[in-house]
């Protein structure tokens, strides 16, 4: 299995259109996040590497929050067979307060070409996919990769 930065046909292209319900029942539309740096993390509440990665994502979110409006937004994409109940229980047990978007029909995973969880994508403020990471990521690596992309982007 490949881990780390891997290629994707999406790189340099607009992120797939995502419209879905969040685990809290609120609607989510990825295109509305334009103007912000967005990190999309595909996960499952039963995936062992996802559980190991979760504290790192919590640290990443805390670090990005210190940057104010310049910080990246994190969204979890919960894949089948997760339900809003299993996702909400996962966050209640482990902490973390970023939105989880339900990929009920698997179409979000297909659109992004996700092979297995966890997998993470970085989307620039123009809505373009600039990075794909396979496997668990740690907070420092994710922050560094995001910083490199910001420098390339010029913001």
């Amino acid at each position: 299995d490949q881990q780390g930065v891997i290629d994707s046909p999406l790189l340099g292209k607009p992120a797939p259109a995502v419209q879905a319900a969040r685990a809290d029942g609120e609607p989510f539309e990825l295109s509305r996040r334009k103007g912000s740096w967005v990190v999309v993390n595909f996960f499952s509440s039963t995936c062992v590497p996802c559980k190991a990665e979760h504290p790192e994502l919590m640290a990443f979110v805390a670090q990005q929050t210190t940057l104010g409006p310049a910080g990246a937004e994190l969204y979890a994409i919960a894949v089948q067979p997760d339900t809003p109940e299993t996702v909400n229980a996962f966050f209640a047990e482990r902490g973390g307060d970023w939105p989880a978007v339900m990929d009920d029909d698997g179409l979000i995973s297909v659109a992004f070409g996700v092979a297995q969880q966890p997998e993470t994508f970085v989307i620039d403020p123009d809505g373009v996919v600039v990075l794909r990471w396979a496997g668990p990521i740690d907070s420092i690596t994710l922050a560094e990769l995001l910083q490199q992309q910001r420098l390339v982007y010029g913001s």
Side-chain angles (χ1 to χ4, degrees):
D1 288 340
Q2 281 186 299
Q3 290 223 325
V5 176
I6 61 171
D7 198 21
S8 166
L10 293 177
L11 293 178
K13 297 191 173 76
V18 172
Q19 285 182 297
R22 295 181 355 189
D24 62 8
E26 292 295 310
F28 174 78
E29 193 171 347
L30 184 58
S31 62
R32 293 185 184 269
R33 308 315 320 145
K34 277 194 182 155
S36 305
W37 284 93
V38 173
V39 176
V40 177
N41 174 260
F42 287 82
F43 94 109
S44 162
S45 65
T46 57
C47 145
V48 173
C50 300
K51 292 176 185 174
E53 176 185 63
H54 194 75
E56 294 292 335
L57 294 177
M58 289 175 65
F60 173 76
V61 167
Q63 186 254 342
Q64 291 300 304
T65 302
T66 66
L67 301 176
E73 301 173 9
L74 176 65
Y75 295 93
I77 308 290
V79 303
Q80 296 169 308
D82 265 324
T83 64
E85 293 75 26
T86 59
V87 171
N88 290 332
F90 179 89
F91 278 88
E93 180 187 332
R94 295 173 186 277
D97 59 357
W98 54 94
V101 179
M102 303 307 300
D103 189 10
D104 292 331
D105 50 17
L107 292 178
I108 304 172
S109 297
V110 170
F112 275 87
V114 172
Q116 63 186 45
Q117 300 78 40
E119 208 167 290
T120 304
F121 292 81
V122 175
I123 301 166
D124 77 13
D126 294 329
V128 173
V129 177
V130 294
L131 185 85
R132 177 185 184 191
W133 180 280
I137 194 163
D138 65 83
S139 61
I140 291 159
T141 302
L142 184 51
E144 285 175 350
L145 290 168
L146 185 62
Q147 188 57 34
Q148 288 168 12
Q149 293 299 329
R150 281 193 172 109
L151 292 172
V152 171
Y153 185 81
S155 71

